[in-house]
Amino acid sequence: MTLKSDVSVKVKPREATMRIGDLSAATGSSPRALRYYEEHGLIRSEREPNGYRRYDEATVGDVRTIRSLLDLGFPTELIAQILPCTGEAGPVGDCTALMARATELRDDMDDKVRRLAAARDALSDFVARQGTPV
């Protein structure tokens, strides 16, 4: 016996999402760090009925930006303000004051780089005067 069906089912394709382990592997950030970023409003997830987190593909870029800014010494509060100004679609809202603060931080970093280079050069000169190979 053959059953015939006139019912067609259309399945809506699911958005490209990933669980926390996938996001961790894609970004090199630990799941603990990702939960921290989420707790501080830097990234967002949707929760499955079982409580698992689901992240969209754009979160990979956000996490990479967050990690870069943290490595540069930016506080999470400032990163939360910067992220809307760094999206691929362009800035969301007025980023003028934020850009002024980012410029100030950049200039502070440039000053630290100059001071560190001068200290390194002075140390190299000292070592060279002592006859120790550099």
Side-chain angles (χ1 to χ4, degrees):
M1 174 192 254
T2 304
L3 293 176
K4 235 178 167 183
S5 173
D6 292 336
V7 178
S8 64
V9 177
K10 290 185 181 180
V11 178
K12 182 180 177 185
R14 190 172 185 171
E15 276 188 40
T17 62
M18 60 184 74
R19 288 189 176 160
I20 197 166
D22 302 322
L23 182 59
S24 175
T27 62
S29 294
S30 70
R32 182 177 180 187
L34 296 171
R35 287 188 290 273
Y36 175 85
Y37 300 159
E38 188 172 348
E39 181 182 313
H40 285 84
L42 303 177
I43 60 175
R44 292 189 180 155
S45 68
E46 291 185 22
R47 294 294 183 116
E48 294 180 347
N50 61 6
Y52 288 179
R53 291 172 167 87
R54 280 271 178 200
Y55 301 92
D56 63 28
E57 292 289 332
T59 308
V60 172
D62 291 341
V63 170
R64 289 181 178 150
T65 299
I66 292 164
R67 287 179 52 128
S68 295
L69 293 172
L70 286 171
D71 287 346
L72 291 171
F74 283 51
T76 55
E77 297 80 18
L78 183 57
I79 293 172
Q81 295 170 11
I82 290 173
L83 285 176
C85 296
T86 63
E88 289 180 14
V92 176
D94 183 12
C95 297
T96 307
L98 177 63
M99 296 314 295
R101 177 70 177 126
T103 300
E104 181 182 307
L105 286 169
R106 184 207 55 210
D107 293 346
D108 288 347
M109 286 178 199
D110 285 343
D111 185 49
K112 287 177 186 174
V113 167
R114 281 190 291 277
R115 290 190 319 233
L116 282 171
R120 180 201 58 220
D121 293 346
L123 187 57
S124 292
D125 289 345
F126 173 76
V127 170
R129 284 194 311 272
Q130 301 305 315
T132 307
V134 178

